[in-house]
Amino acid sequence: MDFYHRKPKRSEQSTGRDCQFCATFDPNFEKRHPVDRWVHGTPYDSANSHLSENGHVLHLISEISKRRVDQHPVEPVQFLKTA
């Protein structure tokens, strides 16, 4: 096989970094599996940039909890506990 048609070597581990939004607003962030904490490649952290479906859903739950707190700051509202 010549150099032009070589097969790319895939790695088993995805590259990524911890989602700063989830790290700030999810009280159980440290207990997540690493792949559920990671986002990749975008300049801002969003639910769509998560590498796993669980991370995506947990990010959305954190966004909803944050919105609830922002809309009703006078009432004491606790963040939702995740898994």
Side-chain angles (χ1 to χ4, degrees):
M1 185 177 290
D2 62 318
F3 181 75
Y4 181 75
H5 293 98
R6 66 184 169 82
K7 292 185 178 182
K9 295 179 182 176
R10 306 266 184 221
S11 75
E12 290 291 321
Q13 185 173 356
S14 299
T15 58
R17 60 180 174 79
D18 282 350
C19 177
Q20 296 305 309
F21 179 86
C22 291
T24 304
F25 294 106
D26 184 3
N28 296 322
F29 182 74
E30 295 299 322
K31 296 177 185 174
R32 289 188 193 181
H33 294 287
V35 75
D36 294 338
R37 296 167 29 171
W38 290 346
V39 293
H40 79 172
T42 58
Y44 59 94
D45 298 334
S46 68
N48 290 336
S49 62
H50 274 269
L51 296 179
S52 72
E53 185 176 353
N54 286 341
H56 175 88
V57 171
L58 293 171
H59 185 102
L60 291 175
I61 291 170
S62 297
E63 284 182 357
I64 291 168
S65 297
K66 182 181 180 304
R67 278 191 223 135
R68 286 180 60 200
V69 170
D70 290 345
Q71 289 175 352
H72 306 290
V74 178
E75 300 173 17
V77 176
Q78 297 294 322
F79 284 113
L80 297 174
K81 294 284 184 178
T82 57

